[in-house]
DNA sequence: ATGTAATTGAGAATTAATCTCGATAATAAC
DNA sequence: GTTATTATCGAGATTAATTCTCAATTACAT
């Protein structure tokens, strides 16, 4: 059993929840795919492989995966949530092009320090952070030079 | 005329748009209120003062204010967008309690440097960033100690 | 094997945001 | 000032992501 599945089963048992094939299918698919995903894409992917899991089950499973630290929500400001698995991956943030939607990932280790400072200053137990930086990539800047401030 | 209104009128003229009392009312209300707001709250506030502006007009005006740098979207991950005016305010980020929703604002000037580094490294024209840090405040931690990892 | 209660799928409900459309009114040209 | 043009308005319909409902199923404990 892959260790993400193991982590999830431990979480399930600890909470008195139930192990179901649907939840396993969804989790497996998430960790087979690299990169970001959204509910609709994940649903279609599973469906394409012959799976019968419903969208409702996906919507119900994702909060569990988030809660046990396997995935996280990612905000691309396009009207719905995206997600990515984080277990086994280096912490990173996203630089997004407002023109074409391209995503560049980058690491910024100093944010870990920031979390610790904030925890101390405001007496918070920090669970995580999200940083989105946005702007225009070279291609979009050239394409769209009518906009001011190019 | 307040300078935020001036900035908006300049923007309007430059774009060949029209000056309307509705847009002015909305902008005025945004800058009279301190703190964060959402569409529904802003609408009710205006209504309470006898204004006749519709929600549709608010939804249409906000992107204009964002575009000319007077306000920005703020993500509190509660299902809809929040906003805050930024003109005349120090750049800041948000620390949010996952229990009670309390927001702490904090400044982190090094993010400006990060923007410059990213602009250079990825050849982006950076327009801004959003950083949310989230966790549990002292009160919620005490209240809810059943959660693991307190 | 049996009882229980968590989980499922399908579709209805909710709700933020956008769109449509006829009426209104801001601006420019005369 | 009058007129023409067309951006903007309000009201309500529409869209789309997410949540909810409920009867049927099934995981798990006994
Ligand atoms: Mn990523
Ligand atoms: Mn703020
Ligand atoms: Zn681009
Ligand atoms: Zn709290």
């Amino acid at each position: 059993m892959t260790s993400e599945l193991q982590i999830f089963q431990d979480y399930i048992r600890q909470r008195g929840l139930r192990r179901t094939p649907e939840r396993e299918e969804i989790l497996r698919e998430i960790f087979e795919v690299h990169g970001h995903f959204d509910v609709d894409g994940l649903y279609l992917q599973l469906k394409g492989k012959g799976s019968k899991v419903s969208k409702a089950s996906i919507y119900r499973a994702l909060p569990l995966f988030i809660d046990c630290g396997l995935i996280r929500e990612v905000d691309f400001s396009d009207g719905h949530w995206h997600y990515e698995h984080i277990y086994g991956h280096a912490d990173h943030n996203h630089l997004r092009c407002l023109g074409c939607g391209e995503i560049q990932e980058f690491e910024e280790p100093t944010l870990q320090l920031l979390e610790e400072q904030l925890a101390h200053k405001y007496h918070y137990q920090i669970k995580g952070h999200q940083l989105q930086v946005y702007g225009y990539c070279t291609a979009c800047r050239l394409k769209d030079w009518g906009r001011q401030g190019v």
Side-chain angles (χ1 to χ4, degrees), chain A residues 4 22 32 34 51 53 60 64 68 80 88 91 100 105-106 109 124 128 132 136 140 142 144-145 147:
Chain A
E4 61 268 11
E22 288 84 0
E32 265 173 28
H34 59 284
S51 169
V53 282
R60 286 185 284 230
L64 302 179
C68 61
H80 63 277
D91 186 40
C100 63
E105 302 192 330
F106 64 91
Y124 263 62
Q132 302 91 37
Y136 291 94
C140 287
L142 294 175
D144 220 16
W145 58 276
R147 235 184 16 259

Side-chain angles (χ1 to χ4, degrees), chain A residues 83-132:
Chain A
Y83 304 84
E84 65 185 351
H85 57 253
I86 51 178
Y87 173 71
H89 284 257
D91 186 40
H92 65 273
N93 302 284
H94 298 118
L95 170 58
R96 180 171 46 89
C97 176
L98 294 167
C100 63
E102 179 193 71
I103 304 287
Q104 291 280 348
E105 302 192 330
F106 64 91
E107 295 183 24
E108 185 57 25
T110 61
L111 290 171
Q112 182 55 41
L113 296 176
L114 174 62
E115 283 193 8
E116 285 158 23
Q117 288 165 14
L118 291 172
H120 181 258
K121 183 166 181 185
Y122 297 105
H123 307 289
Y124 263 62
Q125 179 200 12
I126 309 289
K127 299 300 269 185
H129 69 263
Q130 276 222 41
L131 171 64
Q132 302 91 37

Side-chain angles (χ1 to χ4, degrees), chain A residues 13-27:
Chain A
R13 201 169 313 121
Q14 183 199 336
R15 291 293 175 107
L17 304 176
R18 290 180 184 173
R19 231 175 116 155
T20 72
E22 288 84 0
R23 287 170 175 166
E24 287 195 23
E25 266 184 85
I26 296 167
L27 185 57

